Amino acid sequence: MRGDDGAPVVAASLEEILRLQERADIPTMSRYEQRYGLVSEGRITGWEEAPRAEAISADEFERVWLDARRTLGATPPPPGTDR
């Protein structure tokens, strides 16, 4: 979620990415990444010091993630993509 307005910016799924890497072509992977972003590699540190950062429950994470998926899935793809 973007800090200023709370808009979702990434809602990628590691399971989906791994499946696409095995079965999809590069343009398909590119469209997925343009829409849902990338899964972070490694541990994310420093988030605790960010303004308005807080730990959330697994249930709250799931609710926010599903809302982000719906929002990003409904957003038109960026210009220049062939979707």
Side-chain angles (χ1 to χ4, degrees):
M1 308 302 281
R2 189 171 41 225
D4 295 340
D5 60 6
V9 291
V10 174
S13 161
L14 179 58
E15 181 180 324
E16 289 173 349
I17 289 172
L18 293 174
R19 188 173 52 240
L20 286 171
Q21 285 176 343
E22 290 177 0
R23 300 183 180 124
D25 57 14
I26 291 174
T28 301
M29 279 293 303
S30 180
R31 285 191 301 273
Y32 181 90
E33 290 173 5
Q34 290 287 329
R35 174 141 305 187
Y36 296 113
L38 299 171
V39 173
S40 176
E41 292 184 26
R43 185 168 171 80
I44 299 173
T45 60
W47 66 269
E48 300 93 338
E49 290 83 33
R52 300 183 320 173
E54 60 185 75
I56 61 173
S57 69
D59 288 340
E60 179 67 4
F61 174 87
E62 197 66 25
R63 185 192 67 73
V64 171
W65 188 82
L66 288 172
D67 286 346
R69 288 291 288 206
R70 279 191 288 275
T71 299
L72 294 174
T75 303
T81 59
D82 61 348
R83 186 161 195 258

